[in-house]
């Protein structure tokens, strides 16, 4: 637990490795870290953990910036807006890690290891044969000071390893998982500094979190069991430990780790499909966390006010695209026309030929569907009936249209609509009302046959507006071909 000076400002960090796109699990971590900091009026930092240079992906850092900016997760400090704790990119901090690693050797909490890759491979194969987990055997810990100095002088490559206690238990308190205990004998003398002078994550995270005065370390739960090793480092340096908030996994709908197959979604993919950043943030904040009430719709500002990391659930969360769509639909309903056009029109343009459609027509169409779509791209599938000459009835439509009296209703409506000279929604509505009188039908038996006949579907937005957008010529053509 963070037990130190209460006057200390809450500081959290989002510490991604720039190895690819930001998927929803990463983004959820960033959201929780942001909320923890901002709830306390604290600072939220970006730290780029690029010590594994082989996994670095070009453009990944920009991607992280773009994603966080769109989501309103503004960094108080980071590589682009350094504060007094920089640099904020680990590959620019190598000297710092080297200094601290050597300091630990001097203090007797770490040691030089000159073991060759061949020796380590041999140990690994032996462990495999004996069906035990590989653990470095502490060989180089036994070297004398003179032997170490000699090897260093001779230029033998080395790594620096942490010296672990051989007995006892390490215990710490996690804000989400509670008390975590690990037997020290299973803690490996892990590498802190590699032979190329780069630190491992296991070392760099401790040094940076301390130097950057991070009070709450929120990160994926894959680090729960290695945190005792980090705590031993804090103790070796005599540093205050942060509060740990390990976050449960985000799984796919099949209960397995999110992957391409079960709906792994990158924020940008969702964004480009017309999901709104506010909705994504809202949904992700509720993924594995819940407020005290049953409410589910919150702005980022509201979340900042009510967020309590103690309410993060231990159970793995499930990324459910249907639920995200439900939340997104809620936000779409509130969009102003321009914002709605922005997330829908590019998809319409891509799918259909809009050259003969006026801007007004497109706007009318999009507004008509505002309450019927749950993400921008969905407009394409919902509006196919306006772009395809042929409409097909599914079985349900066919069944419905077999009912007695329906052809009469359609015939009367056809006459009425043919007489509409000024093609307005009001006049179309009047034609429907006249049909009601003349055919002596009402409710479902009035609207459904007309809807199916002109649009090929049973449910959709307001009928007069739909007919208006389909256009008189096409409507008459579709009324011509009474199918029953
Ligand atoms: N760079 C680590 C990762 O991407 C971050 C873990 C942490 O937040 O400490 O998994």
């Amino acid at each position: 637990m963070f037990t130190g000076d209460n006057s200390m400002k809450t500081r959290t960090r989002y510490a991604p490795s720039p190895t690819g796109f930001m998927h929803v699990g990463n983004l959820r971590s960033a959201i929780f870290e942001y909320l923890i900091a901002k709830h306390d009026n604290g600072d939220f930092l970006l730290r780029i953990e690029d010590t594994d240079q082989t996994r670095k992906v070009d453009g990944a850092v920009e991607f992280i910036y773009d994603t966080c900016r769109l989501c309103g997760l503004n960094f108080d400090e980071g590589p682009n807006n350094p504060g007094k704790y920089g640099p904020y990119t680990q590959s620019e901090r190598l000297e710092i890690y080297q200094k601290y690693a050597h300091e630990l050797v001097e203090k007797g909490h770490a040691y030089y290891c000159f073991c060759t890759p061949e020796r380590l491979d041999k140990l690994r194969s032996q462990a495999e044969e004996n069906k035990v987990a590989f653990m470095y055997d502490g060989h180089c810990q036994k070297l004398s000071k003179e032997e170490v100095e000699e090897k260093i002088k001779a230029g033998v490559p080395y790594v620096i390893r942490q010296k672990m206690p051989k007995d006892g238990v390490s215990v710490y308190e996690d804000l989400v998982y509670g008390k975590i205990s690990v037997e020290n004998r299973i803690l490996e003398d892990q590498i802190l500094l590699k032979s190329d002078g780069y630190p491992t994550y296991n070392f760099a995270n401790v040094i940076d979190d301390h130097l950057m005065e991070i009070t709450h370390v929120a990160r994926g739960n894959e680090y729960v069991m290695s945190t005792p090793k980090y705590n031993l480092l804090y103790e070796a340096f005599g540093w205050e430990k942060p509060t740990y908030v390990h976050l449960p996994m985000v799984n796919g709908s099949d209960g397995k780790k999110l992957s391409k197959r079960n709906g792994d979604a990158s924020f940008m993919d969702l964004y480009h499909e017309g999901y709104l950043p506010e909705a994504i943030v809202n949904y992700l904040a509720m993924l594995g966390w819940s407020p005290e009430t049953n409410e589910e719709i919150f702005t980022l500002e509201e979340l900042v006010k009510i967020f309590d990391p103690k309410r993060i659930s231990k159970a793995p969360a499930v990324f459910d695209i249907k639920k995200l769509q439900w939340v997104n639909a809620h936000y779409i309903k509130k969009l102003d026309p321009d914002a709605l056009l922005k997330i829908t029109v590019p998809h319409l343009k891509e799918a259909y030929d809009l050259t003969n459609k006026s801007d007004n027509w497109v706007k009318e169409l999009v507004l008509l569907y505002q309450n019927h779509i749950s993400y921008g791209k969905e407009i394409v599938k919902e509006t196919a009936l306006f772009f395809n000459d042929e409409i097909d009835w599914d079985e349900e439509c066919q069944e419905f249209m077999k009912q007695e009296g329906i052809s009469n209703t359609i015939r009367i409506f056809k006459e009425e609509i043919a007489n509409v000279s000024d093609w307005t929604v009001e006049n179309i509505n009047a034609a429907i009302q006249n049909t009601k009188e003349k055919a002596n039908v009402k409710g479902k038996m009035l609207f459904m046959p007309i809807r199916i006949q002109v649009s090929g579907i049973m449910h959709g937005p307001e009928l007069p507006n739909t007919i208006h957008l389909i256009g008189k010529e096409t409507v008459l053509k579709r009324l011509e071909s009474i199918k029953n």
Side-chain angles (χ1 to χ4, degrees), residues 276-343:
L276 301 163
E278 306 89 297
I280 298 174
V281 168
N282 185 160
Y283 170 68
L284 291 180
M286 311 295 279
L287 207 53
W289 176 84
S290 57
E292 282 177 36
T293 63
N294 288 331
E295 268 173 88
E296 294 188 279
I297 302 295
F298 295 102
T299 62
L300 186 58
E301 273 167 34
E302 288 164 345
L303 288 167
V304 164
K305 278 195 201 119
I306 59 171
F307 193 74
D308 176 359
K310 292 202 187 87
R311 296 186 63 82
I312 295 173
S313 157
K314 267 188 261 202
V318 174
F319 178 73
D320 175 359
I321 191 85
K322 289 268 172 295
K323 187 69 196 278
L324 171 60
Q325 285 169 0
W326 179 82
V327 174
N328 203 58
H330 181 91
Y331 283 81
I332 285 188
K333 286 189 178 77
K334 290 189 187 161
L335 287 183
D336 64 37
D338 282 346
L340 185 66
L341 289 168
K342 209 170 132 200
I343 63 158

Side-chain angles (χ1 to χ4, degrees), residues 13 15-17 33 47 49 201 205 209 217-220 222-223:
R13 82 294 191 282
S17 303
E33 287 148 10
R47 184 171 75 224
E49 302 207 326
Y201 165 78
N205 88 87
D209 285 339
V217 169
R219 63 182 164 212
E222 63 267 36
Y223 297 101

